[in-house]
Amino acid sequence: MTRGRFISFEGGEGAGKSTQAARLADRLRARGLQVVATREPGGSPGAEALRRLLVQGEADRWSATAETLILYAARDDHLTRTIRPALDRGAWVISDRFADSTRAYQGAAGGGSTALIAALEQAVVGADWPDLTLVFDLDPALGLERAAGRGGADARFEGKGLAFHQRLREGFRALAAAEPARCVMIDASGSPEAVEAAIWSAVQARLPVPEPAA
Ligand code: TMP
């Protein structure tokens, strides 16, 4: 049994990741692949329970350190119960956010300890980094406007102010530049169709996708 592939979608608020992750999952299923579409924080019952603590309530509810610890408890559960078992049975895993979000939100933008984040990465993620990470890049003013239009109760991080979201964008850009073998930047300002096409070329260029079943 060939181990599956792991693709993560990353970026700031309102960049269209969730829509595009669903479109990629559909395309890969059309190729006959088994696909597990998941998300962080969340993706397993325990991690979904922790998600509510993170995405609801006042913007300053947690320190960056507390957020990092809750996120890594959730990530450990997600990896153990959802991601690794899916990869082991040969499925492709598409995760709407993963460990780069902690580097960018809690580290680069939140001022949290990068040493703590690195230690948790080693203990929890280990060798199970995504094969490909698509980093959506968008002017945060535009992204926050789009995200506000969506509404909903899960908007805690949107309330952190424009300066936070500007640092976040720089953080994502820097981490993508530091790991070009894993990360591809996606210009998220185009039409959904243009973004979908850019993603499909990145996936085909980086990962061998089987031809559609005859
Ligand atoms: P979502 O809006 O993409 O579902 O993500 C929920 C929020 O959680 C989003 O505002 C970003 C935040 N987040 C972090 O701050 N650090 C992380 O590691 C992850 C996975 C998400």
Coordinates of all heavy atoms in Angstrom, one line a residue, residues 13 17-18 39-41 51 55 67 71 75 96-99 101-102 105-106 150 154 157-158, ligand 1:
E13 N -7.0 35.6 6.7 CA -8.4 35.5 6.7 C -9.0 35.8 5.3 O -8.5 36.7 4.7 CB -9.0 36.4 7.8 CG -8.4 36.3 9.2 CD -8.7 35.0 9.9 OE1 -9.8 34.5 9.7 OE2 -7.8 34.5 10.6
K17 N -9.4 30.0 1.0 CA -8.8 28.6 1.2 C -9.8 27.5 1.2 O -9.6 26.5 0.6 CB -8.0 28.5 2.5 CG -6.8 29.3 2.6 CD -6.1 29.1 3.9 CE -6.8 29.8 5.1 NZ -8.0 29.2 5.6
S18 N -10.9 27.7 2.0 CA -11.8 26.6 2.2 C -12.5 26.2 0.9 O -12.6 25.0 0.6 CB -12.9 27.0 3.3 OG -12.2 27.5 4.4
R39 N -9.6 19.9 8.5 CA -9.3 21.3 8.8 C -8.6 21.5 10.2 O -8.7 20.6 11.0 CB -10.5 22.2 8.8 CG -11.5 21.9 10.0 CD -12.5 22.9 10.1 NE -13.4 22.7 11.2 CZ -14.5 23.4 11.5 NH1 -14.7 24.5 10.7 NH2 -15.3 23.2 12.5
E40 N -7.9 22.6 10.4 CA -7.4 22.9 11.7 C -7.8 24.3 12.1 O -7.9 25.2 11.2 CB -5.9 22.8 11.7 CG -5.5 21.3 11.8 CD -4.1 21.1 12.4 OE1 -3.4 22.1 12.6 OE2 -3.8 20.0 12.6
P41 N -8.0 24.7 13.3 CA -8.0 23.7 14.4 C -9.3 22.9 14.2 O -10.3 23.4 13.9 CB -8.1 24.6 15.7 CG -8.4 26.0 15.3 CD -8.1 26.1 13.8
R51 N -11.2 23.5 19.2 CA -11.4 24.6 18.2 C -12.3 25.7 18.8 O -12.0 26.9 18.7 CB -12.0 24.1 16.9 CG -12.3 25.2 15.9 CD -13.0 24.7 14.7 NE -13.4 25.8 13.8 CZ -12.7 26.3 12.8 NH1 -11.6 25.7 12.5 NH2 -13.1 27.3 12.1
V55 N -11.5 29.8 18.6 CA -12.1 30.7 17.6 C -13.3 31.5 18.1 O -13.7 32.4 17.4 CB -12.5 29.9 16.3 CG1 -11.3 29.2 15.7 CG2 -13.6 29.0 16.5
E67 N -2.4 29.9 23.4 CA -3.0 29.5 22.1 C -2.1 28.4 21.5 O -2.7 27.4 21.0 CB -3.0 30.7 21.1 CG -4.2 31.5 21.2 CD -4.1 32.8 20.4 OE1 -3.2 33.0 19.6 OE2 -4.9 33.7 20.6
L71 N -3.5 24.7 20.5 CA -3.4 24.3 19.1 C -2.7 23.0 19.0 O -3.0 22.2 18.2 CB -2.8 25.4 18.3 CG -3.7 26.6 17.9 CD1 -2.9 27.8 17.6 CD2 -4.6 26.2 16.8
R75 N -3.7 19.6 17.5 CA -3.0 19.0 16.3 C -2.5 17.6 16.6 O -2.6 16.7 15.7 CB -1.8 19.9 16.0 CG -1.0 19.6 14.8 CD -0.2 20.8 14.3 NE -1.1 21.9 13.9 CZ -0.9 23.1 14.2 NH1 0.1 23.5 14.9 NH2 -1.8 24.0 13.9
D96 N -7.3 22.2 5.6 CA -7.5 23.6 5.5 C -6.8 24.2 6.8 O -7.4 24.1 7.9 CB -9.0 23.9 5.5 CG -9.4 25.4 5.5 OD1 -8.5 26.2 5.5 OD2 -10.6 25.7 5.3
R97 N -5.6 24.6 6.7 CA -4.6 25.0 7.7 C -3.9 23.8 8.4 O -4.5 22.7 8.5 CB -5.3 25.8 8.9 CG -5.9 27.1 8.4 CD -6.2 28.0 9.6 NE -6.8 29.3 9.1 CZ -6.1 30.3 8.6 NH1 -4.8 30.2 8.5 NH2 -6.8 31.4 8.2
F98 N -2.7 24.0 8.8 CA -1.9 23.1 9.6 C -0.8 23.8 10.4 O -1.0 25.0 10.7 CB -1.3 22.0 8.6 CG -0.7 20.8 9.3 CD1 -1.4 20.0 10.1 CD2 0.7 20.6 9.2 CE1 -0.8 18.9 10.8 CE2 1.3 19.6 9.8 CZ 0.6 18.7 10.6
A99 N 0.3 23.2 10.6 CA 1.3 23.8 11.5 C 1.9 25.2 11.1 O 2.3 25.9 12.0 CB 2.5 22.8 11.7
S101 N 0.2 27.7 10.2 CA -0.7 28.7 10.8 C -0.2 29.1 12.2 O -0.2 30.2 12.6 CB -2.1 28.2 10.9 OG -2.8 28.4 9.7
T102 N 0.3 28.1 12.9 CA 0.9 28.4 14.3 C 2.1 29.3 14.2 O 2.3 30.2 14.9 CB 1.1 27.2 15.1 OG1 0.0 26.3 15.0 CG2 1.4 27.5 16.6
Y105 N 0.5 32.8 12.9 CA -0.4 33.5 13.8 C 0.2 33.7 15.2 O 0.2 34.8 15.7 CB -1.8 32.7 13.9 CG -2.8 33.0 12.8 CD1 -2.6 32.3 11.6 CD2 -3.8 33.9 13.0 CE1 -3.6 32.5 10.6 CE2 -4.8 34.1 12.0 CZ -4.6 33.4 10.8 OH -5.5 33.6 9.8
Q106 N 0.6 32.6 15.8 CA 1.1 32.7 17.2 C 2.5 33.2 17.2 O 2.9 33.9 18.1 CB 1.0 31.4 17.9 CG -0.4 31.0 18.4 CD -1.4 30.8 17.2 OE1 -1.1 30.1 16.3 NE2 -2.6 31.4 17.3
R150 N -18.7 37.4 5.6 CA -19.1 36.0 5.8 C -19.9 35.8 7.2 O -20.7 35.0 7.4 CB -17.8 35.2 5.9 CG -17.9 33.7 5.7 CD -16.5 33.2 5.4 NE -15.5 33.4 6.5 CZ -14.2 33.3 6.4 NH1 -13.7 33.0 5.2 NH2 -13.4 33.5 7.4
D154 N -17.3 32.4 14.6 CA -15.9 31.9 14.7 C -14.9 32.9 14.3 O -14.0 32.7 13.5 CB -15.7 30.6 13.9 CG -16.5 29.4 14.5 OD1 -17.1 29.6 15.5 OD2 -16.4 28.4 13.9
F157 N -10.1 35.6 15.6 CA -8.8 36.1 15.1 C -9.0 37.4 14.2 O -8.1 38.2 14.0 CB -8.0 35.0 14.4 CG -7.4 34.1 15.4 CD1 -8.1 32.9 15.8 CD2 -6.1 34.3 15.9 CE1 -7.5 32.1 16.7 CE2 -5.6 33.4 16.8 CZ -6.3 32.3 17.2
E158 N -10.2 37.5 13.6 CA -10.4 38.6 12.7 C -10.4 39.9 13.5 O -10.2 41.0 13.0 CB -11.8 38.5 12.0 CG -11.8 37.4 10.9 CD -13.2 37.0 10.5 OE1 -14.1 37.8 10.5 OE2 -13.3 35.8 10.3
Ligands
TMP1 P1 -10.3 29.2 9.9 O1 -11.0 30.5 10.0 O2 -9.4 29.0 8.7 O3 -11.3 28.0 10.1 O4 -9.3 29.1 11.2 C1 -9.7 29.4 12.4 C2 -8.8 30.4 13.1 O5 -7.8 29.8 13.8 C3 -8.2 31.4 12.1 O6 -8.5 32.7 12.4 C4 -6.7 31.2 12.3 C5 -6.6 30.5 13.6 N1 -5.4 29.6 13.7 C6 -4.3 30.0 14.5 O7 -4.3 31.1 15.0 N2 -3.3 29.1 14.6 C7 -3.3 27.8 14.0 O8 -2.3 27.1 14.2 C8 -4.5 27.4 13.3 C9 -4.5 26.1 12.7 C10 -5.5 28.4 13.2

